[in-house]
Each structure stands twice: as C-alpha cells, then as structure tokens.
Amino acid sequence: MFSGSIPALVTPFRDGSFAEEEFRALVDWQIEQGSSGLVPCGTTGESSTLSNAEHHRVIEVCIEQAAGRVPVIAGCGSNDTTNALLHLNFSKKCGAAAGLVVAPYYNRPNQQGIYAHFETLTKENDLPLVLYNVPARTVTDILPDTVAELSKLPTVAAIKDASGEIDRVTDHRLACAKDFCLLSGVDELSLAFNASGGAGCISVTANVAPKLCAEFQAACQAGDYEKARELNDILYPVHKAMFSDASPGPIKYALSRVIADFPTELRLPMTPPSESSKKAVDAALEGAGLI
C-alpha cells in the first residue's frame, strides 16, 4: 500500500505555537524532492506534547498542503484507545490515506490488550491502519505472532517496525498476507530491512535529506543494491547524527542548517541538542553534501 521514503515530519514551532507557514513549506519541499508519502504527528513531530486541537490542525494542514500529491499517513497514536479513535475519526474526515497507530505506551498492556486496542479501532473506523512498533519508547512490544493476527483484521494494512530486530521482517513476511506492507522505522537498518523484504521507511533523516533518501529507496525497490549501498554509505553518518542527542533536537537543528531560518524550538521536556551533537550533525551534513 505504501513504499519508498516517507518522512516522519517534524512539527516546527515559533514562540511556542505551531509554525504553520514553515510547515507548509516543508511539505512542499518534501514532495518536490521525491518523498513518496508524509507522516505528520508521529514521534518526530512531538505528538506527545501537542494538544488535541494542535494535533488535528497539523494533520489538517499537511493533508491540505499535500493536496493529493502523495498519501498522508496521519499520526493517530495514543495510550488511550478512545483518544486514538478520536484522532482516526478526524484524520479520515480530513482525507488521510491511513492512520499510524503506535502500540499503547505507559499502560504496558499485554499482547491481548494490544490486540484489543487495534481491534477496537478497526471496528469503529475503516481508515487503513499502519501499526507502529517501537519498544524502546513504548516499553510494550507487538510480538510477531500478534502482528500476524492483527494483519488478518480488514483495515490493518502495514507496520512501521522500529524494533531494531531485522529477523522480524522475515517473520512478518512469512506470517502475514502478501499485500501486508512492511516499513522500516529505523533509518540505519533500512538497507538490511529492504533486502529482507521491506517496502520502504518512515524516516527521520528524510526530513533533511529527502532527495537522497528517495533515491536510496528507489534503488532498493529496483533491486540495485550496489547503488543502494553507495547511497547508504553517504546517508549512514546522517542517520547516526540524527540520534546523537534526544530526538527531534538534532533533526530540527539539521533542518535549520539546510533551510534558512527554520525554527529549532522544542517543547519541554525536550531541550536543544548538545554542542557535540551539533558538531556531529554538521559533519554528517557536510559529508553528505547537504551543506
């Protein structure tokens, strides 16, 4: 259903408020540079610090600005099933192609609870769902057997897998329907992920290197792994630098180096990246020819 380079967009702020003009420009730039989809209000978009009204406005603006040029996978995750459904209902009304729904965090449900969370969403809303598994952030882990069962639900279309376990690509590919879409959630593992059967990446790095990331994904999908490795070698230091401090601090700083006057504001408890992180970002961007 989805493929290629799909940036998990940052949410720019100015003076504490959503910087809509800068966000619209970012959406246009991403599409012009070859991104094949967009994800507003994911983890990189600081969704956990957005009010529901802000969350919905960011989704609305992204869909409006994309204007059908690429699909928008709206971040709809919550640790509260009722609130996740609220986001899904709004996203469907706005014209999102799908909802990205993270495993419920903080509550620490067991596998039965995780299944019930997603099953309830599919019963109440027919918008396609992209499961998002990121155990390092949520503590919960959508295990492969649970993914296989969830994939049988009529609207569960894909998974963004940020477990960091490459063997799960094969687990999912063998256990799920052939049209179940496998997307990486870890940039630096995308080469191995795609070689194992993945279709693309919901990416942090693509915020700042959309063209390179799109070219890398296109090479993978064409089976040209020699070219893919060459591009991966260029991108790899950028991938690592984006997590040289707490995300999304480094990626917002990187964007300010590539796009003049791009705001770097973060919302507490996130704070600006360290000087050593900034140096790592600068070196990686320069090495990739981005600055």
Side-chain angles (χ1 to χ4, degrees):
M1 184 175 185
F2 304 105
S3 64
S5 178
I6 306 170
L9 297 171
V10 302
T11 303
F13 301 114
R14 280 204 187 277
D15 301 321
S17 297
F18 171 42
E20 185 172 313
E21 182 179 345
E22 286 86 347
F23 186 69
R24 287 183 183 276
L26 179 63
V27 167
D28 283 341
W29 184 59
Q30 288 291 333
I31 295 171
E32 290 161 4
Q33 293 287 302
S35 297
S36 57
L38 301 170
V39 175
C41 296
T43 304
T44 307
E46 296 175 81
S47 57
S48 59
T49 62
L50 298 175
S51 69
N52 277 355
E54 290 174 319
H55 191 124
H56 292 172
R57 182 58 181 161
V58 173
I59 290 170
E60 184 177 40
V61 169
C62 187
I63 293 170
E64 181 180 301
Q65 196 66 27
R69 291 176 288 173
V70 297
V72 173
I73 306 169
C76 295
S78 176
N79 67 321
D80 172 3
T81 305
T82 300
N83 206 50
L85 180 59
L86 178 74
H87 295 328
L88 275 175
N89 288 341
F90 181 85
S91 298
K92 181 184 176 182
K93 182 179 71 174
C94 285
L100 177 70
V101 182
V102 72
Y105 46 86
Y106 188 77
N107 310 57
R108 298 184 68 184
N110 58 20
Q111 295 300 299
Q112 182 180 359
I114 292 170
Y115 182 89
H117 174 75
F118 288 105
E119 182 186 38
T120 298
L121 297 178
T122 67
K123 287 180 176 180
E124 298 293 331
N125 189 297
D126 63 0
L127 188 68
L129 292 187
V130 178
L131 310 176
Y132 179 16
N133 193 31
V134 56
R137 288 188 179 272
T138 63
V139 185
T140 55
D141 185 1
I142 314 176
L143 296 177
D145 286 347
T146 305
V147 173
E149 288 303 307
L150 287 169
S151 73
K152 298 174 185 177
L153 296 173
T155 60
V156 175
I159 185 169
K160 174 187 177 182
D161 185 0
S163 67
E165 299 186 26
I166 290 297
D167 58 337
R168 290 198 180 184
V169 185
T170 304
D171 288 335
H172 297 155
R173 186 168 52 79
L174 294 178
C176 301
K178 286 188 176 182
D179 60 352
F180 186 70
C181 182
L182 306 177
L183 300 169
S184 176
V186 183
D187 278 299
E188 60 266 31
L189 296 181
S190 288
L191 182 63
F193 192 99
N194 287 343
S196 298
C201 181
I202 295 179
S203 168
V204 174
T205 300
N207 275 279
V208 73
K211 185 177 181 181
L212 282 173
C213 287
E215 290 174 347
F216 164 76
Q217 291 294 338
C220 289
Q221 296 311 308
D224 187 351
Y225 278 95
E226 182 176 355
K227 181 178 180 181
R229 282 191 295 271
E230 291 173 0
L231 290 165
N232 188 66
D233 288 349
I234 295 169
L235 284 164
Y236 189 77
V238 184
H239 298 330
K240 301 295 282 188
M242 292 309 103
F243 290 89
S244 56
D245 208 333
S247 183
I251 188 62
K252 281 193 164 180
Y253 171 71
L255 279 163
S256 76
R257 297 286 284 118
V258 171
I259 300 173
D261 200 36
F262 192 89
T264 60
E265 284 185 32
L266 302 156
R267 282 193 171 168
L268 289 171
M270 308 312 294
T271 54
S274 66
E275 289 305 312
S276 62
S277 174
K278 290 179 180 178
K279 288 179 181 177
V281 170
D282 286 341
L285 294 179
E286 186 173 355
L290 298 170
I291 59 173

